[in-house]
């Protein structure tokens, strides 16, 4: 995790030298927050290692368990999608709502576009891409008055800060009176294709370190996914007859020759 932190500090310095300084009032708040969050959460994880699991939250255990594995690349994401309401909203009002969300996340170098998707929904998108991470915000209008908001944050080369942004997104949704789950997904890549036994060993080790109990699973080559429940995590969703708040998936990317390990809470909603 120190590697993640030092990598981010180096990338931030690189950004500053690039001359991208549109705003003097707020300089790189998104990157600064990532670094600060990574440092704070790494300290928590270090204490976890030294003093065992006494008093450690479920999210700290996720970071510790996932960080104990060896990956060639790591990334993380935070996403949420929920209904804003059934009301007609002007184009300018949508823009102001997205800009307010962007300010709370800490980005100010974004662009805004409009389009109609394949389902004939009107979509206003605010996005910002950088070497440190990407943010995509969408205001989606269905049948003129059905309003939905999507928030997506991707953090490159770091996992610790994801749970800090989860809290930020939760606060944003609460302010907008949107009741929906906020999904956090950690991703690690391993060179080559893992055999069935190796995948089982990796999955069992991750869930074992967290103390999560398996609810349902499918361990096949075509679909390797496990749904589990951890008592130390407050949020959960119902899958069938059981509570679920941990989702572990393993896939293989043939083009990159890499095995991808996803550890999400409460659910992985990314394309695998």
């Amino acid at each position: 995790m120190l590697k993640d932190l030092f990598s981010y500090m180096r990338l931030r310095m690189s950004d500053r030298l690039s001359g991208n300084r549109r705003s003097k009032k707020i300089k790189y708040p998104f990157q600064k927050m990532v670094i600060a969050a990574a440092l704070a959460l790494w300290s928590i994880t270090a204490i976890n290692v030294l003093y065992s699991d006494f008093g450690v939250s479920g999210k700290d255990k996720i970071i510790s368990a996932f960080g104990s594995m060896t990956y060639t690349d790591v990334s993380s994401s935070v996403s949420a999608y929920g209904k804003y309401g059934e009301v007609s909203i002007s184009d300018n009002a949508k823009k102001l709502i997205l800009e307010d969300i962007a300010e709370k996340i800490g980005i100010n170098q974004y662009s805004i576009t409009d389009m109609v998707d394949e389902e004939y929904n009107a979509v206003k998108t605010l996005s910002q891409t950088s070497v440190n991470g990407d943010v995509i915000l969408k205001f989606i209008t269905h049948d003129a008055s059905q309003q939905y908001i999507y928030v997506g944050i991707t953090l490159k080369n770091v996992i610790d800060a994801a749970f800090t942004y989860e809290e930020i997104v939760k606060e944003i949704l609460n302010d907008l009176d949107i009741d929906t789950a906020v999904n956090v997904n950690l991703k690690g890549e391993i060179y080559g294709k893992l055999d069935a036994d190796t995948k089982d060993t990796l999955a069992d080790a991750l869930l074992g370190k967290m103390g999560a109990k398996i609810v349902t699973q499918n361990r096949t080559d075509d679909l390797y996914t496990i749904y589990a429940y951890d008592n130390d995590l407050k949020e959960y969703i119902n899958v069938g007859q059981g509570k679920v708040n941990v989702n572990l998936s393993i896939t293989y990317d043939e083009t990159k020759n890499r095995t991808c390990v996803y550890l999400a809470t409460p659910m992985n909603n990314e394309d695998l």
Side-chain angles (χ1 to χ4, degrees):
M1 294 184 183
L2 277 177
K3 181 180 178 182
D4 293 341
L5 176 61
F6 293 152
S7 175
Y8 259 80
M9 294 177 69
R10 186 171 65 253
L11 289 172
R12 177 172 174 268
M13 292 177 64
S14 175
D15 277 354
R16 182 172 293 175
L17 293 174
S18 68
N20 187 6
R21 301 183 178 89
R22 186 181 301 178
S23 171
K24 294 183 178 179
K25 184 178 179 180
I26 303 176
K27 291 186 178 181
Y28 305 96
F30 182 64
Q31 291 88 335
K32 286 181 178 179
M33 290 170 68
V34 170
I35 294 170
L39 180 58
L41 288 172
W42 179 86
S43 298
I44 293 173
T45 304
I47 294 172
N48 181 23
V49 173
L50 290 173
Y51 295 99
S52 186
D53 290 335
F54 178 77
V56 178
S57 73
K59 294 175 182 179
D60 296 331
K61 288 195 294 183
I62 290 177
I63 294 172
S64 178
F66 197 82
S68 67
M69 303 296 170
T70 301
Y71 304 105
T72 55
D73 290 292
V74 296
S75 60
S76 58
S77 64
V78 181
S79 63
Y81 176 79
K83 190 171 186 178
Y84 179 76
E86 296 185 24
V87 61
S88 295
I89 301 178
S90 70
D91 191 67
N92 188 58
K94 296 176 186 177
K95 178 175 178 290
L96 290 175
I97 291 172
L98 292 180
E99 288 179 335
D100 182 60
I101 296 174
E103 181 179 359
K104 291 175 180 178
I105 292 174
I107 60 172
N108 64 344
Q109 306 293 329
Y110 50 77
S111 61
I112 299 178
T113 59
D114 292 280
M115 65 168 288
V116 176
D117 65 17
E118 63 275 7
E119 297 180 358
Y120 302 102
N121 298 313
V123 182
K124 183 178 289 293
T125 302
L126 182 153
S127 61
Q128 177 171 314
T129 301
S130 73
V131 295
N132 295 313
D134 305 329
V135 177
I136 297 178
L137 311 176
K138 294 183 179 182
F139 206 115
I140 304 165
T141 302
H142 178 69
D143 287 342
S145 62
Q146 303 289 323
Q147 313 293 345
Y148 299 86
I149 288 180
Y150 169 80
V151 179
I153 302 172
T154 300
L155 306 172
K156 303 174 183 177
N157 304 314
V158 70
I159 60 172
D160 306 62
F163 289 106
T164 297
Y165 279 99
E166 177 197 25
E167 295 304 317
I168 293 173
V169 173
K170 283 182 179 179
E171 183 176 346
I172 290 170
L173 296 177
N174 184 62
D175 291 343
L176 294 172
D177 199 25
I178 296 176
D179 184 16
T180 187
V182 178
N183 296 288
V184 176
N185 189 41
L186 312 182
K187 177 183 178 183
E189 296 185 358
I190 303 171
Y191 278 120
K193 184 176 182 179
L194 303 184
D195 59 33
D197 289 341
T198 304
K199 287 191 288 187
D200 286 343
T201 299
L202 187 153
D204 293 339
L206 273 174
L207 296 175
K209 287 177 181 293
M210 292 171 53
K213 305 300 182 183
I214 296 175
V215 176
T216 183
Q217 59 186 321
N218 185 19
R219 302 196 188 203
T220 64
D221 195 47
D222 293 331
L223 179 63
Y224 194 104
T225 187
I226 301 171
Y227 299 96
Y229 181 75
D230 187 340
N231 286 318
D232 292 327
L233 295 171
K234 295 180 181 179
E235 299 84 1
Y236 66 87
I237 59 175
N238 290 308
V239 175
Q241 300 298 316
K243 297 178 181 179
V244 166
N245 54 17
V246 175
N247 184 195
L248 173 62
S249 302
I250 302 177
T251 65
Y252 175 64
D253 188 335
E254 293 183 356
T255 59
K256 298 169 65 176
N257 188 29
R258 292 190 182 189
T259 297
C260 301
V261 180
Y262 301 87
L263 183 61
T265 180
M267 181 76 72
N268 184 356
N269 61 352
E270 293 188 356
D271 293 331
L272 301 180

